[in-house]
Amino acid sequence: TARKGSLMVNSYTDERSQQVYCIIDKGRLMKMPFAGLTLLDYAINSTLVLSNVCLQKQDRVGLMTFANKMGSVLAADRKPIQRDNILQLLYNQRTAFLESDYELLYMQIRSQIKHRSLLVLFTNFESLSGLHRQLNYLRAIAKHHLLMVVFFENTELHQLTHLHAANIEEVYIKTVAEKFEFEKRLIVKELKKHGILSILTAPEQLTINTVNKYLELKARQAI
């Protein structure tokens, strides 16, 4: 100020760059097909789009895949080459026909991700009991990070719930379909009860719903 002869002020802005990790479950439930693609294919496509949006927002993006053992791990970065790194890692990924090990995932996250991050977990739960088997690990992860669980509606079951039942067998099928659809809603409620964000989406709406949720979290600085 003395040298210039006019008032000079330092202006500081909050750090806007955050860490975002896309975590893809490659277990047996991600093999389910919808409209010619598996759930894993939908998750991969969504990850590519979301990663690109995050990089445009100056966030650091990383990647993890897992099933019964850990798969690919890519540390978060925001360099332009990160798009190519993610594309290379996701190329030719396949599902494993085994149960996914969430305990192993929790241990990997604790050892690899040291700073609080947004973790977008692409997985699937078909029943409330299936969620409860993994809930303790999800809660442990959510203690240190902002966890968002993205899982899928069964659109074929949804169609069955709207069929007109003409006989006893069709009544039974419709009732079972309604039960499974209701359990999906209970899973969302259970996750919310434990402070875990979730997206329940039809496979074809996965990308747009995930990107919109990320932009919402970014806008209100929840990350």
Side-chain angles (χ1 to χ4, degrees):
T1 298
R3 283 200 208 103
K4 292 285 186 181
S6 60
L7 183 64
M8 298 183 65
V9 179
N10 289 330
S11 179
Y12 298 94
T13 58
D14 293 335
E15 173 62 57
R16 294 300 183 94
S17 178
Q18 305 293 336
Q19 284 194 161
V20 180
Y21 273 86
C22 294
I23 304 174
I24 301 178
D25 180 359
K26 299 194 300 180
R28 63 180 182 84
L29 290 178
M30 297 295 281
K31 185 65 176 177
M32 294 177 64
F34 288 94
L37 297 173
T38 66
L39 297 183
L40 178 62
D41 293 328
Y42 284 106
I44 288 173
N45 293 339
S46 181
T47 296
L48 291 173
V49 175
L50 179 61
S51 299
N52 189 53
V53 173
C54 292
L55 289 171
Q56 290 178 6
K57 291 290 185 179
Q58 302 301 310
D59 281 339
R60 300 184 297 275
V61 186
L63 175 69
M64 284 187 177
T65 66
F66 77 107
N68 60 309
K69 58 183 180 180
M70 289 304 301
S72 304
V73 178
L74 178 65
D77 203 334
R78 64 178 181 183
K79 295 177 181 177
I81 198 175
Q82 191 75 343
R83 293 187 184 91
D84 295 331
N85 293 335
I86 292 172
L87 185 61
Q88 289 294 326
L89 282 179
L90 291 178
Y91 176 72
N92 207 29
Q93 292 282 350
R94 293 287 184 267
T95 54
F97 293 94
L98 297 169
E99 290 290 337
S100 299
D101 190 338
Y102 280 79
E103 181 181 7
L104 182 62
L105 174 64
Y106 166 71
M107 293 170 62
Q108 186 76 3
I109 289 172
R110 290 293 290 149
S111 65
Q112 295 287 335
I113 307 177
K114 301 299 184 182
H115 302 288
R116 180 174 171 81
S117 309
L118 170 62
L119 307 183
V120 183
L121 172 59
F122 295 94
T123 186
N124 198 34
F125 296 108
E126 285 298 316
S127 66
L128 194 59
S129 60
L131 170 68
H132 284 154
R133 287 197 296 271
Q134 315 299 344
L135 187 57
N136 285 338
Y137 302 119
L138 296 178
R139 290 175 62 189
I141 293 170
K143 287 181 180 179
H144 304 280
H145 302 279
L146 181 59
L147 176 61
M148 182 167 69
V149 177
V150 183
F151 63 111
F152 298 88
E153 291 179 348
N154 191 321
T155 51
E156 293 182 5
L157 283 179
H158 182 71
Q159 293 172 4
L160 289 174
T161 62
H162 290 81
L163 290 178
H164 175 70
N167 53 52
I168 296 297
E169 181 181 356
E170 291 180 355
V171 169
Y172 174 77
I173 292 173
K174 183 176 181 179
T175 302
V176 171
E178 289 174 347
K179 175 182 178 296
F180 278 107
E181 193 171 61
F182 179 66
E183 282 211 18
K184 291 278 189 175
R185 304 294 186 271
L186 289 179
I187 291 171
V188 172
K189 189 175 181 180
E190 187 72 10
L191 289 170
K192 184 177 180 181
K193 185 173 75 174
H194 294 287
I196 300 172
L197 300 174
S198 65
I199 298 176
L200 174 60
T201 178
E204 61 271 18
Q205 296 295 318
L206 172 64
T207 299
I208 189 168
N209 289 339
T210 305
V211 170
N212 284 343
K213 190 65 175 180
Y214 160 76
L215 293 175
E216 176 194 328
L217 294 172
K218 187 74 176 173
R220 58 187 177 92
Q221 301 182 13
I223 304 175

